Amino acid sequence: MLRRLSPKQLASLYDESKEKMPPAERKAWLDERLAKQVSYAYKNAPAAKQKFDDAGVSPRQIKTEKDLERLPVTTKDELVKLQAKAPPFGGYLAVPINSLNRVYVSPGPIYDAWGPERVTNMVKGLVRTGMPKPGDVVMVSNAYHMVPAGLALTDALDVMGCTVVPAGIGQTDLQVKIMHDLKVSAIFSFPSFSMSLIKRAEEMGYNFKKDFDLKYVSGGGERHIQVLRKVFIDQYGLAVGDGYGTADLGGVAYDCGLGAGYHYEDDICVIEIVDPKTGKQVKPLEEGEVVVTLLSKVYPLVRFGTGDLASYTDEVCACGRSAHRITRILGMVGDHVRVKGMFVHMRELDEAFSKLPEVSRFQLVLKLVDQRDRIALSVETDAGVDRKALSEAINKRCQDVFKLRMDEINYLSKGALPQDAKKVVDSRW
Ligand SMILES: [Zn+2]
């Protein structure tokens, strides 16, 4: 276990004056640390040095966030290639590997370097959301196998003085029993899984509000969080936490509790929203790719492109914090497929299924049968759902949104799709 912090030490991680710094002061603070960071990355991470040298840019030329535009964006695919060429971290690890406490492996495969600094960052992120609190019994229903999700959270919750139940994914009935027996007060999971635990508890005859001690659910990883958020709050009286991050970066932005987007954690990173074609920064509320430079002594990624499309705002939030916010994750860069002569964007798929609450997760498999495209859809639903009616509803939504019907629909129980399952699998080529 990592060192547990006292409630006082924990509270000291939140510095109100920094959070509410006037915007001009915030910019100067950010630029100053960015300039130091790029020279650190240049000196200590061979891949960062190569990136600067290839672009003909000296770290001294990066004095402000705007100057980052001089450097190209490194995509996730490029990071996979860098790691394959110079394993395991592609020349981005700036410390000896044995100073890391975890190395995670994400699909790609890609090695994720996690040192104690990441744990501290996660703790700070959770303290900023205000939940959970020391003494909470927290069930972590995220994957514990290879990827950071479950174990990284457990590390952070240990430090915060919570009692963790490492439940992992699946086994809904058992997780309901655990929640009840251990008086679980907080859950970390996909929001749709937290919701299916609540629904299952009701099917088992419990009165959720009376029989359980749950106060808080945290999620992320699902774009329809806003729909579920309302149900958690209005129907079950729960507080909802949310954040944005990736396995490569850790958490980099968080929801302050107002559901007004994700505040940049600009003590640990610099976030830009850029035009994916030109790499130039876009204006507030314009659409662009989320690009992150980590202010890290361990894994100093410079201009890493997440592949996520989003927009941002520089307005001070109603909570008083001045850090910029990602207003919404809109989809993924270049994330579309062509099927039966039509383009289907991931965003359209999300839109179609966002109005179908019976479907918790889905996957489209594109096949070639007799030289013709066929679309097979797998959906996770509750066992009791009326499949005929739902199939009709799915086809109507898909036709309305992207003009296509499914050739077959397969019904799966919840948790049947792997946690990292892609929304579209193209098996035609
Ligand atoms: Zn806020």
Side-chain angles (χ1 to χ4, degrees):
M1 190 193 286
L2 293 141
R3 195 168 62 88
R4 193 170 258 208
L5 297 180
S6 70
K8 206 174 155 191
Q9 288 170 316
L10 211 53
S12 73
L13 292 178
Y14 182 82
D15 182 345
E16 177 104 349
S17 63
K18 274 230 169 68
E19 300 287 338
K20 299 185 175 174
M21 223 186 287
E25 208 177 296
R26 174 159 230 109
K27 184 185 178 309
W29 174 69
L30 199 62
D31 287 344
E32 189 194 317
R33 285 170 313 127
L34 174 63
K36 281 193 191 136
Q37 175 67 25
V38 291
S39 76
Y40 175 86
Y42 189 86
K43 280 193 201 107
N44 295 282
K49 180 177 188 301
Q50 191 72 48
K51 180 165 171 157
F52 276 85
D53 291 350
D54 288 350
V57 176
S58 148
R60 273 184 307 247
Q61 290 173 284
I62 311 292
K63 294 194 177 70
T64 68
E65 191 186 334
K66 185 79 183 152
D67 295 332
L68 281 171
E69 288 184 342
R70 293 166 175 261
L71 293 165
V73 171
T74 301
T75 64
K76 189 159 179 130
D77 284 348
E78 285 163 354
L79 190 58
V80 171
K81 283 184 198 141
L82 278 173
Q83 289 197 350
K85 220 169 87 188
F89 296 107
Y92 267 109
L93 191 67
V95 295
I97 188 167
N98 55 15
S99 69
L100 302 176
N101 56 334
R102 315 270 183 224
V103 175
Y104 295 105
V105 186
S106 297
I110 195 159
Y111 295 111
D112 306 316
W114 286 59
E117 129 192 299
R118 284 267 169 106
V119 180
T120 309
N121 291 345
M122 261 181 119
V123 172
K124 273 199 221 166
L126 291 170
V127 169
R128 282 174 157 141
T129 67
M131 283 165 295
K133 302 261 189 255
D136 270 326
V137 178
V138 187
M139 187 161 81
V140 178
S141 308
N142 294 100
Y144 273 83
H145 181 69
M146 294 217 197
V147 295
L151 195 54
L153 266 166
T154 300
D155 285 343
L157 294 165
D158 273 345
V159 171
M160 293 174 75
C162 299
T163 300
V164 177
V165 188
I169 47 177
Q171 303 197 72
T172 311
D173 285 13
L174 179 58
Q175 294 213 23
V176 171
K177 181 175 161 51
I178 294 169
M179 267 167 78
H180 182 259
D181 293 352
L182 298 182
K183 300 190 186 317
V184 165
S185 50
I187 301 180
F188 282 80
S189 176
F190 280 130
S192 63
F193 186 71
S194 298
M195 185 55 76
S196 62
L197 289 175
I198 295 174
K199 296 287 180 203
R200 184 66 193 132
E202 287 175 338
E203 282 165 18
M204 288 159 87
Y206 287 113
N207 175 328
F208 191 81
K209 277 192 183 170
K210 252 172 66 188
D211 299 336
F212 289 81
D213 291 72
L214 193 69
K215 292 181 193 66
Y216 169 73
V217 288
S218 180
E222 285 179 324
R223 290 184 204 147
H224 55 286
I225 173 81
Q226 294 307 336
V227 183
L228 286 177
R229 180 188 168 85
K230 221 176 134 36
V231 183
F232 285 128
I233 295 171
D234 296 350
Q235 280 185 34
Y236 296 101
L238 299 171
V240 182
D242 193 13
Y244 171 78
T246 74
D248 324 276
L249 302 166
V252 293
Y254 69 100
D255 181 339
C256 61
L258 297 179
Y262 302 108
H263 286 276
Y264 297 1
E265 296 191 57
D266 50 15
D267 51 336
I268 62 169
C269 66
V270 173
I271 299 182
E272 305 163 81
I273 308 294
V274 313
D275 181 328
K277 289 199 189 78
T278 65
K280 301 277 183 239
Q281 294 161 12
V282 301
K283 295 197 180 75
L285 303 181
E286 285 179 4
E287 185 175 315
E289 182 181 3
V290 182
V291 170
V292 179
T293 298
L294 288 178
L295 303 175
S296 166
K297 293 272 182 282
V298 176
Y299 196 51
L301 288 175
V302 178
R303 282 207 120 195
F304 174 70
T306 60
D308 288 321
L309 281 177
S311 57
Y312 81 102
T313 174
D314 54 4
E315 278 180 19
V316 174
C317 181
C319 72
R321 293 171 171 102
S322 54
H324 294 183
R325 279 167 288 148
I326 294 171
T327 45
R328 226 152 55 94
I329 302 294
L330 301 158
M332 290 189 77
V333 177
D335 207 3
H336 59 262
V337 286
R338 195 175 173 133
V339 57
K340 299 187 180 188
M342 308 282 290
F343 278 109
V344 180
H345 289 264
M346 295 305 130
R347 201 182 320 164
E348 292 174 317
L349 273 177
D350 284 334
E351 195 197 328
F353 286 95
S354 68
K355 298 271 169 63
L356 296 162
E358 302 91 335
V359 175
S360 55
R361 295 174 68 215
F362 65 89
Q363 183 175 61
L364 235 55
V365 179
L366 309 178
K367 310 185 220 181
L368 208 55
V369 179
D370 295 328
Q371 307 305 312
R372 288 210 321 233
D373 285 349
R374 276 183 72 82
I375 313 174
L377 172 73
S378 296
V379 291
E380 286 186 11
T381 59
D382 286 316
V385 75
D386 179 347
R387 293 182 177 185
K388 191 163 176 281
L390 183 55
S391 294
E392 275 170 25
I394 288 172
N395 272 320
K396 183 168 185 321
R397 277 297 294 164
C398 292
Q399 209 149 21
D400 287 349
V401 180
F402 51 81
K403 314 276 181 280
L404 289 169
R405 289 176 67 84
M406 304 294 113
D407 296 300
E408 54 175 281
I409 299 178
N410 307 303
Y411 286 91
L412 306 173
S413 57
K414 289 197 171 163
L417 287 169
Q419 198 164 23
D420 57 2
K422 289 184 175 165
K423 284 185 181 155
V424 176
V425 174
D426 196 344
S427 64
R428 292 173 298 178
W429 326 108

